[in-house]
Amino acid sequence: MRKIAVLYSGHAPHFVTFNTPKYKQYFDKIIYLPHFAEQDLMGMDVVIVPSQLHNKLLLEAAPAIRRFADNGGVVVAFGPQPWNWIPGQNWETRPTNFWWWLEKDADSGLRMVAPDYPLFRDGYLDEAACTWHQHGVFHLQDGMQSLIDMKDGGSLMYVDKVSSKGTWIVTTLDPDFHFGSYFMPATEKFLDGFLPWLACGEI
């Protein structure tokens, strides 16, 4: 089982998510971001960078997070990432339609493009568990693998094994925020599958 650290900056929804027992069991460390030091990641296999962190604190921690990946670690980044700190990052902010499912012939625009990737192939997640709303997309560089696209272009989730010796799993989806805000049931399904995969599945 991989050792997982998650960053935390005092945001109430994150407190709920990271301390809910069925999820907390997967975290070996919950690291309070204002007190972050590079040695906090020693001995960890994975670090999760949640959505909606304080931008100044995130950017201060970013060099250490990149070094963690350069040394073979797995970095997971959730949610909108308007600050340029991820290797090869090419983020496009898009307007968010929170109520698309109320429209006639509703279509979220989400398209699963890598059904054979272990996260999906091995039954951890399906398309429904990844479907709520989007805040933007990433435009990928050569060698990065998109797992979920938007029908009008851009990636909602991708895996990058070319920018470092480690692995970056990056998504515009923000299940950490919505589960802890008691808003969007699909986000619970996402975390129910994603965290066990991150701990034990084939990455």
Side-chain angles (χ1 to χ4, degrees):
M1 187 166 171
R2 298 182 185 93
K3 292 185 176 297
I4 300 174
V6 61
L7 303 183
Y8 165 66
S9 62
H11 197 23
H14 290 158
F15 182 87
V16 172
T17 299
F18 304 151
N19 287 283
T20 294
K22 68 175 178 176
Y23 301 143
K24 189 175 183 179
Q25 66 177 314
Y26 294 107
F27 304 133
D28 293 87
K29 286 186 177 181
I30 299 175
I31 301 170
Y32 186 48
L33 189 55
H35 297 163
F36 174 82
E38 189 161 356
Q39 59 264 30
D40 289 334
L41 301 181
M42 291 181 61
M44 296 294 103
D45 302 304
V46 180
V47 60
I48 298 175
V49 181
S51 61
Q52 302 190 34
L53 289 179
H54 187 283
N55 64 316
K56 181 177 182 291
L57 294 175
L58 172 59
L59 294 176
E60 288 174 354
I65 297 169
R66 289 192 293 266
R67 284 191 289 271
F68 176 79
D70 289 341
N71 288 325
V74 177
V75 178
V76 176
F78 281 143
Q81 295 293 343
W83 306 290
N84 189 21
W85 68 277
I86 298 170
Q89 181 175 342
N90 189 355
W91 165 257
E92 177 192 345
T93 299
R94 292 183 178 177
T96 300
N97 182 353
F98 291 97
W99 308 111
W100 58 267
W101 59 82
L102 300 179
E103 299 171 0
K104 183 179 179 182
D105 301 321
D107 181 357
S108 71
L110 179 151
R111 300 290 185 267
M112 188 182 293
V113 294
D116 291 332
Y117 197 79
L119 177 60
F120 308 123
R121 181 198 68 205
D122 296 340
Y124 290 98
L125 289 181
D126 58 16
E127 186 171 303
C130 302
T131 304
W132 53 96
H133 56 251
Q134 301 84 38
H135 299 271
V137 296
F138 298 95
H139 298 283
L140 306 190
Q141 297 186 359
D142 289 345
M144 298 176 178
Q145 181 182 6
S146 185
L147 305 184
I148 302 173
D149 281 354
M150 286 298 288
K151 67 178 182 181
D152 53 355
S155 176
L156 291 184
M157 180 186 288
Y158 68 90
V159 176
D160 174 8
K161 297 185 179 181
V162 297
S163 296
S164 69
K165 292 181 181 178
T167 300
W168 291 78
I169 303 166
V170 183
T171 178
T172 177
L173 298 173
D174 51 357
D176 50 320
F177 171 75
H178 284 291
F179 176 81
S181 299
Y182 308 101
F183 176 50
M184 296 291 176
T187 62
E188 182 171 5
K189 295 179 182 177
F190 182 97
L191 292 170
D192 285 351
F194 186 85
L195 290 176
W197 170 71
L198 197 60
C200 301
E202 178 186 350
I203 296 177

